[in-house]
Amino acid sequence: CRFGQQDSVSMAVRLENRYKGFRAPHKLKMGVSGCMRECAEAQGKDIGLVATVKGYNLYICGNHGTSPKHATLFMSDLSDDECIRYIDRILMYYTFTSAPLTRTSKWLENLEGGMEHLKEVVVDDSLGLCAEFDRRWQEQVERYECEWKKVVDTPELRKRFRQFVNVDDKKHGDLPWELVRKQKKIQLEDLPTIIGPAKISKDKAEPTWRWVDVGAEGDFPETGGAAVKVGRTELSVFRSAATGQWYASQNSCPHKQLQVLSRGLIGMHGQVPKVACPIHKNT
């Protein structure tokens, strides 16, 4: 861009490489604009940098969405290294003090002392925490590894992503597709919901029924499920750490009748174990 004041692309890549993989209380969005024309909309991000002739203006705690919040100017005309230093400390303090699932904008609104207090903590080191913040970030950067690359490189982890625990069959999805303006899209028409008690349960077992080995205990996540195939039937097998029990059902979601239930989330509703469909979270 002919209006660019700094190398904003290189700065954005530096931010991406430094903060990737960080476990924050909520999702984080960052933006870097090369000038005050703000094509990257950095002032609507959790962390935003806007280039100036002397460096970058650092904006923090903004967001778009249903409740947009304009980011607040934290400091002006910072060098690249100063930006990284203060972003490190702000994010670390945010992680230490924020409630889970709280965006940075709400965190700053509820922070006692607000922006002035935050500057005292991360710039003036009023609480004596900056050295610890810096150390923890360096450890975060040094320990980072790509989780998906680790899965690809580790056979034991790759096993978790098999479609079926006990067979090598593969299916390519049972979602119905249609052509819309010459593009393939998933059909959105609702299938009838199946509700009510199970038609077949252990109390209806016949003497001819027998147990079938569908895999080793280690093939199933401790608090989760996996799909198995018996004949032409797909089943979900769940292992609950909360109850210490194993459960099995058809792999078909009662809501949409799709073979996805094994990837659902399991938990407790009072004393009753539940599984939430991974598509629409119906239990």
Side-chain angles (χ1 to χ4, degrees):
C1 172
R2 62 192 178 92
F3 298 111
Q5 302 295 316
Q6 304 291 337
D7 186 355
S8 56
V9 174
S10 295
M11 188 61 173
V13 172
R14 184 176 178 183
L15 294 182
E16 171 70 19
N17 287 328
R18 186 168 185 83
Y19 300 112
K20 59 187 178 184
F22 178 60
R23 297 295 196 269
H26 205 292
K27 65 180 178 182
L28 291 171
K29 296 184 179 181
M30 299 185 179
V32 184
S33 289
C35 71
M36 289 304 296
R37 288 165 179 80
E38 257 282 67
C39 293
E41 300 179 348
Q43 296 178 66
K45 303 292 194 294
D46 297 278
I47 298 294
L49 295 176
V50 179
T52 68
V53 175
K54 298 180 180 179
Y56 288 96
N57 289 346
L58 172 58
Y59 293 85
I60 65 171
C61 302
N63 64 261
H64 293 294
T66 57
S67 300
K69 174 74 174 181
H70 196 286
T72 304
L73 179 63
F74 183 76
M75 295 188 75
S76 301
D77 298 327
L78 298 175
S79 67
D80 291 16
D81 290 339
E82 287 175 329
C83 289
I84 296 297
R85 182 188 313 132
Y86 293 133
I87 293 172
D88 284 356
R89 295 174 181 178
I90 290 168
L91 291 182
M92 192 60 69
Y93 191 53
Y94 160 61
T95 302
F96 278 170
T97 59
S98 174
L101 301 179
T102 302
R103 291 294 299 267
T104 56
S105 58
K106 295 297 182 183
W107 166 72
L108 184 60
E109 287 178 10
N110 298 326
L111 184 66
E112 186 175 353
M115 181 65 76
E116 291 306 315
H117 169 73
L118 183 59
K119 288 183 178 180
E120 291 173 357
V121 172
V122 302
V123 179
D124 302 330
D125 198 15
S126 61
L127 299 180
L129 295 173
C130 287
E132 182 178 356
F133 291 163
D134 296 343
R135 176 182 60 80
R136 284 178 178 267
W137 263 112
Q138 189 58 35
E139 292 175 354
Q140 158 77 17
V141 173
E142 292 173 355
R143 289 201 304 260
Y144 171 78
E145 63 176 347
C146 176
E147 295 167 291
W148 289 111
K149 183 178 185 303
K150 184 178 180 180
V151 169
V152 171
D153 294 340
T154 309
E156 284 300 312
L157 293 178
R158 285 207 309 272
K159 287 172 59 177
R160 299 181 184 178
F161 296 89
R162 293 180 299 176
Q163 288 188 314
F164 302 104
V165 169
N166 60 329
V167 294
D168 290 330
D169 289 0
K170 291 183 179 180
K171 64 175 185 177
H172 301 286
D174 52 4
L175 296 171
W177 295 78
E178 63 179 346
L179 282 177
V180 178
R181 295 188 297 275
K182 299 182 179 181
Q183 295 182 348
K184 285 184 65 177
K185 293 186 178 293
I186 297 173
Q187 290 181 3
L188 300 178
E189 289 78 12
D190 284 351
L191 295 171
T193 298
I194 302 173
I195 60 175
K199 294 181 178 180
I200 301 176
S201 56
K202 288 191 296 184
D203 61 309
K204 296 181 176 62
E206 300 176 359
T208 57
W209 289 16
R210 61 185 176 84
W211 290 100
V212 177
D213 185 356
V214 293
E217 180 178 337
D219 291 333
F220 299 86
E222 185 172 351
T223 304
V228 300
K229 203 168 186 181
V230 179
R232 299 178 62 183
T233 303
E234 294 185 28
L235 300 176
S236 298
V237 178
F238 298 97
R239 180 182 178 190
S240 172
T243 65
Q245 302 276 340
W246 291 74
Y247 304 91
S249 74
Q250 286 185 312
N251 198 28
S252 177
C253 164
H255 176 219
K256 291 290 186 180
Q257 303 177 39
L258 301 175
Q259 304 295 317
V260 297
L261 201 58
S262 62
R263 296 295 183 181
L265 302 174
I266 64 172
M268 302 295 293
H269 183 241
Q271 298 299 315
V272 180
K274 294 277 189 175
V275 57
C277 170
I279 297 181
H280 294 102
K281 305 301 184 288
N282 287 25
T283 60

